[in-house]
Amino acid sequence: MNEFKLSILDLLKEDARLTAATIATMLGATEEDVSAAIAEMEQDHVIVKYATVVNWSKVDEEKVTALIEVNCTPERGRGFENIAERIYLYPEVKSVYLMSGAFDLLVEIEGKNLKEVASFVSNKLSTIESVISTKTFFILKKYKQDGIIFEQFEDDHRLLVSP
């Protein structure tokens, strides 16, 4: 991938609402060249989706997010591919990663409440034949996601107390 396309990707990752004209101005290129590069990257599935990062703690809707470590037995000839596919096809699943280290897959899911997440783990995920064990961690608060800081903390304005 050439430097021009990488620059476009960096700009779109920072703000997906940028127009081709704005990107062209920022990069000193023509709008046509930028539009063509974006179209090509969309066609090649380099650009998969344009999305909004939402700070759900500021919204009244309750959501529970959990990270689940999954240990599983790889399948002959396919490794972890089929297992990962079976997991990511569930609508609750937001992300699935093949990991190195103490576990095989990391699964991120969202539910309406703790009970819904627990039900997913016990009734759907742990019943998959290749799954050996799971370990669930509930996210209590997100401070930063995808490079975006959700809340800025003010400096401590308390007065210094000296003896």
Side-chain angles (χ1 to χ4, degrees), residues 7-93:
S7 297
I8 292 171
L9 290 174
D10 285 338
L11 291 170
L12 287 174
K13 186 170 181 343
E14 191 64 33
D15 184 357
R17 297 177 299 170
L18 291 175
T19 64
T22 303
I23 294 171
T25 301
M26 294 170 84
L27 298 179
T30 67
E31 185 176 347
E32 293 77 24
D33 287 344
V34 170
S35 294
I38 290 172
E40 185 178 323
M41 289 187 287
E42 289 171 344
Q43 180 74 28
D44 294 341
H45 293 283
V46 172
I47 297 175
V48 179
K49 182 179 181 179
Y50 297 91
T52 302
V53 177
V54 178
N55 184 353
W56 287 106
S57 68
K58 302 284 186 180
V59 180
D60 288 336
E61 183 176 340
E62 290 292 322
K63 286 186 180 220
V64 174
T65 305
L67 299 175
I68 307 163
E69 295 177 355
V70 180
N71 280 313
C72 48
T73 305
E75 296 176 5
R76 180 179 288 270
R78 293 275 302 162
F80 296 100
E81 302 299 319
N82 286 345
I83 304 160
E85 182 179 19
R86 286 187 64 189
I87 294 170
Y88 70 61
L89 288 175
Y90 287 111
E92 302 93 333
V93 175

Side-chain angles (χ1 to χ4, degrees), residues 118-132:
S119 175
F120 171 82
V121 173
S122 62
N123 297 326
K124 294 178 181 175
L125 185 59
S126 64
T127 60
I128 296 173
E129 187 175 310
S130 300
V131 171
I132 299 168

Side-chain angles (χ1 to χ4, degrees), residues 66-68 87-88 92-97 106-109:
L67 299 175
I68 307 163
I87 294 170
Y88 70 61
E92 302 93 333
V93 175
K94 299 301 169 199
S95 303
V96 177
Y97 304 99
L106 180 65
V107 179
E108 179 183 2
I109 70 164

Side-chain angles (χ1 to χ4, degrees), residues 137-155:
F137 302 90
F138 290 97
I139 294 177
L140 303 177
K141 183 175 184 175
K142 288 185 183 180
Y143 295 101
K144 185 175 182 178
Q145 178 181 327
D146 296 327
I148 299 165
I149 298 171
F150 285 138
E151 296 186 33
Q152 298 288 347
F153 296 100
E154 291 185 23
D155 293 335

